[in-house]
């Protein structure tokens, strides 16, 4: 749910374009199922996937399997029926619930926030419609991007109306409707509005109107205290291994990201979207209408919509897609409605190579060349540092930075830098972040991380320098703006 997490979606949105870039042909003579299994198994072996996956072709499941551990402490494997937190995939369910109420005449897409939440500030609440909330065009700041939000708020349980007060008085970033800016705040408000109009808790509205009708018995609103059979634990990478993910009270993501599900249940969801079981075609089309340009794509109601070429010279295919991220979990659902293809992956070790796996499987489904994964450069580097020391790790880095059998991943190197920072090895962290800047000079986040390391080192001059470099690449980096303003000479 972090803003940095959402920027990783940019890579996902370029899947169709990347498919054409000349990947190597491999695995000739194998069936599609065998090719998928070979590719995903190798991603799992290299520590780049740990979760459950399902692939359907022409509406039929052709592959489903679990990889790695649902619970590492008890050595319990992931299976297709393992329950994972799905993060922002929740938004498409919230959008469906809103449109159901619109179809029934209980809501209008032109309703403003204050029509239903009377305590919301009128200065902004009178301007922002349900359409704005559904399309991330409200201008309301994304509460997960607030400074120290995850440090200060995420362990505390909240009632919806209480939590809304944390962001309701914030100034809008722009006039509602003018542009797209991803905001969990908007979908949180939609959950509260659903509760007002139905007189029922959001999770009960979800259960009665979607989950029960579709027989999605392994899906629901997650509560930490509930004993939930087959629940996956969430982890984050640490060095060459893992640690338990930080706790988050699930009242915080709420209607923007608090659901759990299985790949098998999300297949039922996918299939229902081809019918009128939940919603008439007139309103269902709104889910997938490209209302507003969004990064490299467009956004409908709870879905990114892309027109991308799959294979050289072919007509572009329509793709409906959304990812999700919440502490210890990373998920993606991707649909090609014209072919009734669907890929869903639920991973319980934080950031994973879901974009790359999605890319490979899409290529396999279309009988196109694809590439098998490479070993993680960062993981091997950390193993060298851990066993032989930091100087040996630097030597290994310089000797292997251009090696073709490793993948140099910006995010993984960045994580390594923060691990060193947390260990109070500030000088070493600065060196690692600098290596990342050199390797990925067009990434605002590499400069941002290096600036944070210089802050911990007490070097304000260098922190300001690299925050300025970050701002040149991302003018919305609020942390950089605040630091530079506070340390003007």
């Amino acid at each position: 749910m972090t803003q940095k997490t959402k920027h990783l979606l940019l890579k996902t949105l370029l899947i169709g374009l990347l498919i054409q870039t000349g990947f190597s042909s491999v695995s000739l003579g194998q069936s599609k199922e065998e090719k998928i299994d070979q590719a995903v198994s190798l991603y799992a072996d290299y520590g780049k996937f740990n979760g459950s996956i399902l692939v359907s072709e022409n509406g039929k499941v052709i592959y489903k399997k679990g990889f790695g551990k649902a619970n590492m402490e008890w050595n319990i494997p992931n299976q297709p029926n393992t329950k994972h937190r799905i993060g922002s995939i929740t938004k498409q369910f919230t959008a469906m619930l809103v449109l159901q109420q619109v179809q029934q005449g209980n809501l209008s897409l032109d309703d403003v926030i204050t029509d239903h939440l009377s305590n919301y500030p009128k200065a902004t609440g009178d301007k922002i419609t349900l359409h704005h909330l559904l399309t991330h065009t409200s201008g309301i700041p994304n509460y997960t991007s607030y400074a120290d939000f995850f440090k200060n708020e995420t362990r505390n349980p909240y009632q919806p109306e209480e939590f809304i007060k944390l962001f309701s008085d914030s100034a809008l970033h722009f006039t509602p409707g003018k542009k797209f800016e991803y905001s969990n705040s908007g979908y949180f408000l939609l959950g509260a509005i659903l509760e007002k109009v139905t007189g029922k808790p959001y999770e009960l509205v979800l259960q009665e109107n979607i989950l029960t009708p579709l027989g999605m018995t392994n899906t629901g609103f997650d509560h930490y205290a509930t004993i939930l059979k087959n629940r996956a634990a969430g982890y984050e990478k640490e060095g060459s291994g893992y640690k338990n993910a930080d706790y988050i009270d699930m009242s915080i993501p709420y209607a923007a990201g608090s659901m759990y599900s299985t790949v098998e249940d999300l297949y039922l969801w996918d299939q229902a979207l081809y019918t009128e079981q939940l919603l008439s075609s007139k309103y269902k089309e709104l889910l997938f209408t490209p209302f507003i340009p969004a990064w490299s794509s467009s956004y409908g109601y709870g879905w990114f919509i892309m027109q991308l070429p799959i294979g050289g010279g072919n007509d572009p295919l329509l793709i409906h897609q959304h990812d999700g991220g919440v502490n210890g979990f990373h998920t993606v659902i991707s649909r090609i409605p014209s072919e009734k293809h669907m890929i869903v992956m639920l991973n319980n070790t934080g950031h994973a190579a879901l974009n790359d796996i999605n890319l490979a499987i899409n290529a396999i489904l279309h009988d196109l060349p694809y590439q098998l994964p490479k070993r993680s450069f960062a993981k091997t580097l950390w193993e060298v540092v851990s066993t032989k020391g930091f100087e040996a790790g630097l030597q290994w880095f310089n000797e292997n930075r251009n090696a073709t059998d490793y993948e140099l991943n910006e995010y993984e190197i960045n994580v390594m830098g923060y691990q060193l920072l947390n260990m109070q090895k500030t000088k070493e962290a600065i060196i690692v972040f600098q290596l990342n800047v050199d390797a990925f000079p067009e990434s605002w986040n590499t400069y941002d991380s290096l600036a944070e390391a210089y802050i911990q080192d007490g070097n304000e001059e260098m922190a300001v320098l690299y925050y300025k470099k970050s701002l040149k690449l991302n003018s919305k980096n609020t942390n950089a703006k605040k630091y530079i303003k506070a340390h003007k000479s």
Side-chain angles (χ1 to χ4, degrees), residues 4 11 48 53 63 85 95 153 157 164 205 211 218 238 248-249 322 325 345 390 410 414 448 453:
K4 288 184 180 180
K11 184 178 178 183
K48 298 184 177 186
I53 181 171
Y63 184 80
R85 291 178 174 175
E153 300 295 344
I164 288 170
V205 180
L211 305 185
N218 291 314
E238 184 174 62
I248 181 172
D249 190 277
H322 213 291
M345 289 177 280
F390 191 77
E410 174 196 339
N414 208 49
D448 181 89

Side-chain angles (χ1 to χ4, degrees), residues 5-216:
T5 297
K6 289 304 166 189
H7 280 287
L8 295 176
L9 184 59
L10 283 168
K11 184 178 178 183
T12 305
L13 300 176
L14 293 172
I15 282 175
L17 297 177
L18 291 170
I19 285 175
Q20 302 183 86
T21 58
F23 285 167
S24 304
S25 296
V26 293
S27 307
L28 297 176
Q30 292 180 305
S31 69
K32 290 180 180 179
E33 297 91 328
E34 290 171 332
K35 291 178 181 179
I36 292 170
D37 189 64
Q38 179 191 27
V40 181
S41 295
L42 201 51
Y43 275 102
D45 289 345
Y46 288 169
K48 298 184 177 186
F49 181 68
N50 186 93
S52 307
I53 181 171
L54 183 146
V55 180
S56 66
E57 182 182 36
N58 300 317
K60 303 295 183 183
V61 176
I62 64 168
Y63 184 80
K64 63 178 181 178
K65 193 172 181 179
F67 291 88
K69 304 301 178 184
N71 188 295
M72 296 182 181
E73 292 159 311
W74 285 94
N75 203 34
I76 298 170
N78 274 308
Q79 302 287 355
N81 67 344
T82 300
K83 298 181 178 75
H84 294 256
R85 291 178 174 175
I86 63 173
S88 287
I89 291 177
T90 301
K91 289 180 174 66
Q92 57 202 245
F93 289 87
T94 299
M96 172 65 80
L97 293 173
V98 170
L99 288 179
Q100 286 177 335
Q101 294 301 315
V102 171
Q103 179 174 270
Q104 294 169 26
N106 299 324
L107 289 174
S108 167
L109 293 170
D110 294 324
D111 287 352
V112 295
I113 295 173
T114 48
D115 286 336
H116 303 285
L117 303 179
S118 58
N119 291 329
Y120 199 88
K122 294 180 68 63
T124 54
D126 285 351
K127 303 175 183 176
I128 299 168
T129 66
L130 300 191
H131 174 79
H132 295 145
L133 299 177
L134 285 162
T135 54
H136 299 288
T137 59
S138 68
I140 301 173
N142 182 10
Y143 63 80
T144 60
S145 67
Y146 288 179
D148 295 325
F149 172 79
F150 283 88
K151 177 182 177 182
N152 296 334
E153 300 295 344
T154 54
R155 301 186 67 87
N156 304 318
Y158 279 93
Q159 291 298 316
E161 62 273 16
E162 181 185 9
F163 186 79
I164 288 170
K165 295 177 183 177
L166 295 181
F167 61 82
S168 60
D169 287 325
S170 300
L172 299 183
H173 283 178
F174 51 86
T175 302
K178 288 298 184 182
K179 64 178 182 178
F180 172 92
E181 185 176 279
Y182 195 92
S183 177
N184 289 295
S185 308
Y187 273 78
F188 195 103
L189 287 166
L190 289 170
I193 290 170
L194 284 166
E195 291 198 4
K196 286 290 184 182
V197 75
T198 62
K200 299 176 182 179
Y202 170 84
E203 61 183 292
L204 184 57
V205 180
L206 173 69
Q207 186 66 52
E208 292 179 348
N209 292 278
I210 297 179
L211 305 185
T212 296
L214 296 186
M216 295 177 67

